């Protein structure tokens, strides 16, 4: 009798587990069907950057917001950032992507690293926040200006990143090229690890501040972020107007004083084939949930400034949102 009772109890447990699993599958299928019928797509991929930058944490939180709100399963993927992201978008391997505004313009025009490889499926969702060019070194390296980088071992960012182009252009206004430094093509995390180990002398990192990789380095090393002199900033902006002056405020990194540098705009772009309805929802989520993006740069993300520096077509879904908010799209 006791054995029958145990078997009956086990049967009930198994049956309830199957029913719960079936219910979960039905719910998942229902969400998938809803996403497919309303938005014409079941899943999205957001191309971000390395885990030590700013794109990745913001992209991860945005992906969760999109999944929870629309039912479209959304994932943030790591990458080498701007250049690779736009190539992923063009190839259909990502539907949303973070990028520097200057790199997006190169992609649309088919210039610089996109020479003969123009990106045609790219539309803007909006600009987000300034990305400071941070030239990071350690106190023991005794590097005090860009001019001191000559002959040093310097990471200029991954091969497929906008940071590399920023480094080349800043060195240019100082009368140098990347041939004047011993270059390494490292991600943000790898750059700061190499600085910690002493295997490089300095690194260029273009990112929203505070940057996680630099915060990690600061915990173990006394760091220096190099100032750009005002006359060099003027030369840079005159030659490449997509740059702007920027100041990294004292205290952004513990014990580091104000740093005067250049910045480009971070922006979110979208594949032109994504439906107007879905891009509208993503745009609304982004600009009305900045407190849920999990990064201090969220305070810079506002719809009022989202079209500043956008020099190419805005996706119709984003356009609809801005018009509803009374924001000029001219």
């Amino acid at each position: 009798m006791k054995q029958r009772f145990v078997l009956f109890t086990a049967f009930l447990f198994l049956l309830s587990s199957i029913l719960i699993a079936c219910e979960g599958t039905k719910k998942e299928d229902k969400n998938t069907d809803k996403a497919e019928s309303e938005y014409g797509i079941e899943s999205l991929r957001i191309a971000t950057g390395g885990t030590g930058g700013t794109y990745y944490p913001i992209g991860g939180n945005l992906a969760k917001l999109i999944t929870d709100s629309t039912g479209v399963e959304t994932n943030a993927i790591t990458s080498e950032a701007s250049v690779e992201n736009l190539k992923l978008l063009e190839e259909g391997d990502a539907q949303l992507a973070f990028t520097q505004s200057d790199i997006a313009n190169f992609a649309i025009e088919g210039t610089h690293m996109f020479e003969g490889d123009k990106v045609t499926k790219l539309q803007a969702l909006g600009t987000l926040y300034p990305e400071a060019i941070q030239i990071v070194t350690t106190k023991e390296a005794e590097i005090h200006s860009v001019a001191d980088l000559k002959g040093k071992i310097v990471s200029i960012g991954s091969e497929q990143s906008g940071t590399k182009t920023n480094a080349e252009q800043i060195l240019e206004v100082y009368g140098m090229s990347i041939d004047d430094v011993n270059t390494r093509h490292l991600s943000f995390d790898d750059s700061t690890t190499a600085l910690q180990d002493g295997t490089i002398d300095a690194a260029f990192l273009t990112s929203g501040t505070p940057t996680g990789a630099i915060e990690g380095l600061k915990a173990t090393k006394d760091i220096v972020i190099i100032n750009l002199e005002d006359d060099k900033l003027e030369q840079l902006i005159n030659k490449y107007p997509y740059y702007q002056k920027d100041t990294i405020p004292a205290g952004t990194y513990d014990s580091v004083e104000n740093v005067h540098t250049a910045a480009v705009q971070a922006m979110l772009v979208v594949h032109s084939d994504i439906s107007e309805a879905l891009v509208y929802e993503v745009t609304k989520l982004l600009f009305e949930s900045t407190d849920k993006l999990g990064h201090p740069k969220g305070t810079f993300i506002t719809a009022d400034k989202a079209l500043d520096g956008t020099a190419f077509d805005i996706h119709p879904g984003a356009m609809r949102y801005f018009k509803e908010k009374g924001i000029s799209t001219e």
Side-chain angles (χ1 to χ4, degrees):
M1 186 74 179
K2 185 176 180 182
Q3 186 178 10
R4 286 182 183 178
F5 177 76
V6 170
L7 288 171
F8 181 69
T9 303
F11 172 75
L12 288 178
F13 177 77
L14 179 62
L15 182 61
S16 64
S17 298
I18 292 169
L19 290 171
I20 289 168
C22 289
E23 187 61 32
T25 302
K26 285 179 184 176
K27 186 175 180 183
E28 187 176 321
D29 288 345
K30 189 175 179 182
N31 286 340
T32 300
D33 291 344
K34 179 176 180 287
E36 181 71 33
S37 63
E38 289 191 20
Y39 306 116
I41 195 170
E42 293 179 5
S43 63
L44 285 177
R45 285 157 62 92
I46 306 176
T48 62
T51 56
T54 305
Y55 292 164
Y56 182 74
I58 292 178
N61 285 305
L62 178 60
K64 185 177 186 307
L65 287 170
I66 296 169
T67 300
D68 292 346
S69 179
T70 68
V72 177
E73 185 64 35
T74 306
N75 293 293
I77 59 173
T78 59
S79 71
E80 290 191 1
S82 295
V83 178
E84 183 183 12
N85 288 355
L86 299 182
K87 291 180 178 179
L88 289 170
L89 198 77
E90 180 74 359
E91 293 161 4
D93 293 326
Q95 292 73 43
L96 290 164
F98 288 84
T99 183
Q100 295 175 199
S101 56
D102 54 333
I103 305 303
N105 284 320
F106 298 156
I108 288 285
E109 295 164 358
T111 59
H112 293 76
M113 70 285 291
F114 291 96
E115 183 115 30
D117 197 19
K118 186 183 289 190
V119 174
T120 61
K121 296 291 187 179
L122 173 65
Q123 290 184 318
L125 190 146
T127 56
L128 306 175
Y129 53 81
E131 293 194 279
I133 289 94
Q134 301 167 86
I135 308 171
V136 186
T137 183
T138 60
K139 281 192 176 179
E140 60 199 53
E142 297 188 349
I143 295 171
H144 307 290
S145 72
V146 174
D148 293 338
L149 295 176
K150 190 167 187 177
K152 302 293 186 180
I153 305 170
V154 182
S155 171
I156 61 171
S158 302
E159 284 279 11
Q160 297 290 309
S161 72
T163 300
K164 178 186 173 186
T165 300
N166 302 143
E168 289 171 338
Q169 291 170 342
I170 286 171
L171 290 170
E172 179 188 342
V173 299
Y174 279 83
M176 293 188 287
S177 74
I178 57 171
D179 293 334
D180 293 305
V181 298
N182 295 313
T183 58
R184 300 290 185 272
H185 295 288
L186 305 177
S187 68
F188 288 3
D189 283 329
D190 289 344
S191 290
T192 52
T193 298
L195 281 167
Q196 184 177 334
D197 295 343
T199 54
I200 65 171
D201 301 305
F204 283 79
L205 291 85
T206 301
S207 179
T209 57
T211 303
I214 299 176
E215 289 182 309
L217 176 65
K218 182 68 187 71
T220 61
K221 287 280 187 180
D222 289 328
I223 66 167
V224 173
I225 302 179
I226 298 171
N227 279 283
L228 300 185
E229 293 86 349
D230 200 58
D231 62 323
K232 299 299 184 184
L233 278 170
E234 294 289 349
Q235 286 180 42
L236 183 70
I237 293 166
N238 286 338
K239 184 158 189 181
Y240 304 107
Y242 40 77
Y243 286 106
Q244 61 189 57
K245 290 184 180 180
D246 193 31
T247 299
I248 303 170
T252 300
Y253 303 107
D254 183 39
S255 78
V256 176
E257 297 301 316
N258 280 346
V259 177
H260 301 291
T261 187
V264 291
Q265 284 289 323
M267 67 187 307
L268 192 61
V269 295
V270 61
H271 194 287
S272 56
D273 290 346
I274 302 302
S275 73
E276 178 180 333
L278 182 54
V279 175
Y280 170 83
E281 293 297 336
V282 172
T283 308
K284 184 174 182 179
L285 280 169
L286 173 65
F287 292 107
E288 296 184 9
S289 308
T290 54
D291 59 325
K292 297 177 182 176
L293 294 177
H295 194 279
K297 273 292 180 267
T299 59
F300 287 78
I301 300 174
T302 65
D304 290 344
K305 296 181 179 178
L307 301 182
D308 294 353
T310 303
F312 52 92
D313 290 346
I314 303 160
H315 191 284
M319 185 81 79
R320 176 180 148 202
Y321 174 77
F322 295 128
K323 284 181 177 177
E324 282 186 6
K325 299 293 287 185
I327 296 166
S328 175
T329 55
E330 297 300 321

